[in-house]
Amino acid sequence: MQTLAQYLTSQSLPSSLEKLIFTLADTSKTISLAVRNGALAGVLGATEQENIQGETQKKLDIITNDMLKESLKADLAVRGLASEEEDHIVEANNEGQYLVCFDPLDGSSNIDINSLVGTIFSVLPMQKPVSQGSLTEQHFLQSGRHQVTAGYMLYGPSTMMALTTGQGVQFFTLDPNSQEYLLTNDNVNISPDTAEFAINMSNQRFWEAPMQTYIDELLLGTLGPREKAFNMRWIAAMVGDVHRVLSRGGLFTYPADHKNPKKPFKLRLMYEANPMAWLVEQSGGKASTGYENILDIEPEHIHQRVAVILGSRNEVDICLRHHQGDNSDEINTQVAPSLV
Ligand code: F6P
Ligand code: MN
């Protein structure tokens, strides 16, 4: 089996980008260990702090954010970083060519129940060099199409990394003996059709009309217009749900809802939606908000949130056709402000 190093060498990436992927991979080994030690290391539970989005931070949110921040700041290829757990962007090295956006511990509510969590990352190019002290949020506001690499690490029964540099998607598995990431799938492919969907059903009454109709049809199974039985899964960690979609197909969505009118969307564009959308597209799947391709969104601020529908191409298309229909009672989230 090829190691991550051997695989990256074969891809002829710029050496600074190769090094940056190593920095992320190496840090994830330390995170994996902290997650695995759990209660033994005293890392479980919440803190009294909140992030900028008003969510209580878990101890591991802060620990993993600090680990990534420190190692990325020490990597000369990194010009700056933006994290779900940081209020503002963080400037790194003046010579760096890359901006790194990350969710250090996705699904952190799973931590205390010893369930799936992961790290999601997205790397953007620094378009024009600026002097030290002049890096701003504006430099990060590039659509997902600009990503040069993206992926996630999943801390599950085995620690895995999904990676894209624009040449398809590869899965690596961390060998616990050698502590090397080994290439275990060099061509991840999402089946175009599926009979499995993932959504938090408890929000059903708050969704827009098109999503209500679409899910109603799935639930009707063989008796409904789809004439097909569907199964449902919900891990409550995007990284776990997307990994299932990449592994065996499916549709994952966190749609718009009006539970809290000030917060119509849950998932973050720069740390969650963009990297996952690119992985899904690179595996032959599709990713949309319901109204536009996620990768085409021009971000307005780093902590922006969006609706997400992604997965098996044909199934996503069926869901999108519902959104193109005339549903007069839907909330117009196309123009709703993307609130933090
Ligand atoms: O990061 C946000 C997140 O934890 C995702 O990983 C996950 O898909 C979602 O929120 C879970 O939301 P809920 O708590 O509504 O199930
Ligand atoms: Mn997350």
Side-chain angles (χ1 to χ4, degrees):
M1 266 180 226
Q2 275 191 306
T3 62
L4 176 64
Q6 287 164 339
Y7 173 77
L8 290 177
T9 308
S10 71
Q11 294 304 295
S12 324
L13 297 171
S15 61
S16 53
L17 185 58
E18 200 177 310
K19 169 117 195 328
L20 173 47
I21 296 172
F22 274 122
T23 301
L24 291 162
D26 279 344
T27 315
S28 74
K29 296 176 192 173
T30 322
I31 296 177
S32 173
L33 197 65
V35 167
R36 232 161 268 297
N37 280 331
L40 299 177
V43 294
L44 304 188
T47 65
E48 289 184 353
Q49 283 164 247
E50 279 190 351
N51 65 16
I52 194 168
Q53 331 198 19
E55 296 158 339
T56 305
Q57 289 174 306
K58 301 278 183 187
K59 281 187 202 163
L60 268 174
D61 283 326
I62 295 178
I63 294 169
T64 55
N65 183 59
D66 288 349
M67 285 175 179
L68 279 162
K69 188 164 69 169
E70 288 323 306
S71 56
L72 288 170
K73 276 169 78 178
D75 185 330
L76 295 180
V78 180
R79 183 66 187 88
L81 51 100
S83 161
E84 188 181 304
E85 303 301 338
E86 295 281 332
D87 294 1
H88 306 289
I89 60 132
V90 176
E91 193 156 1
N93 303 293
N94 204 28
E95 307 306 316
Q97 300 118 283
Y98 300 109
L99 302 169
V100 186
C101 303
F102 60 89
D103 177 354
L105 203 66
D106 179 58
S108 57
S109 68
N110 277 351
I111 271 296
D112 297 340
I113 57 162
N114 196 19
S115 197
L116 280 185
V117 286
T119 297
I120 311 174
F121 60 90
S122 156
V123 180
L124 293 161
M126 184 65 199
Q127 298 289 2
K128 261 194 253 138
V130 290
S131 59
Q132 196 67 20
S134 312
L135 188 74
T136 66
E137 185 170 323
Q138 202 59 38
H139 297 108
F140 288 76
L141 302 182
Q142 308 176 36
S143 78
R145 295 261 172 237
H146 291 91
Q147 294 174 102
V148 292
T149 186
Y152 60 77
M153 289 79 169
L154 180 67
Y155 311 112
S158 48
T159 292
M160 291 188 72
M161 174 164 68
L163 181 74
T164 183
T165 55
Q167 309 293 324
V169 173
Q170 299 76 41
F171 283 164
F172 298 84
T173 304
L174 184 62
D175 177 350
N177 298 317
S178 66
Q179 284 294 301
E180 290 264 18
Y181 274 106
L182 302 178
L183 183 62
T184 43
N185 185 345
D186 65 355
N187 184 20
V188 177
N189 249 303
I190 302 181
S191 50
D193 296 294
T194 184
E196 197 161 65
F197 69 101
I199 192 166
N200 183 341
M201 281 297 299
S202 69
N203 294 325
Q204 184 171 27
R205 64 195 182 284
F206 303 114
W207 301 331
E208 295 177 315
M211 190 54 82
Q212 303 242 12
T213 321
Y214 168 69
I215 297 290
D216 280 349
E217 291 186 3
L218 301 190
L219 294 175
L220 284 168
T222 49
L223 304 177
R226 298 295 303 275
E227 299 176 339
K228 177 173 162 184
F230 281 82
N231 192 17
M232 200 197 87
R233 288 285 184 271
W234 187 247
I235 293 175
M238 185 191 199
V239 72
D241 280 310
V242 171
H243 188 69
R244 188 189 55 255
V245 168
L246 292 182
S247 302
R248 67 173 189 211
L251 179 138
F252 164 88
T253 178
Y254 211 113
D257 67 58
H258 61 265
K259 186 158 63 176
N260 173 355
K262 287 196 177 144
K263 203 176 102 178
F265 316 115
K266 171 126 192 198
L267 300 176
R268 290 82 171 174
L269 175 63
M270 314 271 313
Y271 320 115
E272 297 174 320
N274 269 342
M276 294 311 202
W278 197 30
L279 287 168
V280 165
E281 280 202 5
Q282 283 290 318
S283 317
K286 204 161 172 173
S288 169
T289 63
Y291 303 100
E292 71 180 308
N293 190 312
I294 286 173
L295 295 176
D296 292 329
I297 300 173
E298 296 294 338
E300 286 161 31
H301 50 88
I302 54 168
H303 295 301
Q304 179 171 346
R305 296 173 189 255
V306 288
V308 172
I309 303 165
L310 60 78
S312 295
R313 191 168 70 237
N314 294 342
E315 193 57 40
V316 170
D317 278 340
I318 293 172
C319 184
L320 295 187
R321 282 205 285 280
H322 282 270
H323 287 75
Q324 286 149 11
D326 176 27
N327 292 285
S328 43
D329 58 338
E330 74 190 64
I331 26 169
N332 189 356
T333 42
Q334 269 174 289
V335 293
S338 309
L339 298 168
V340 168

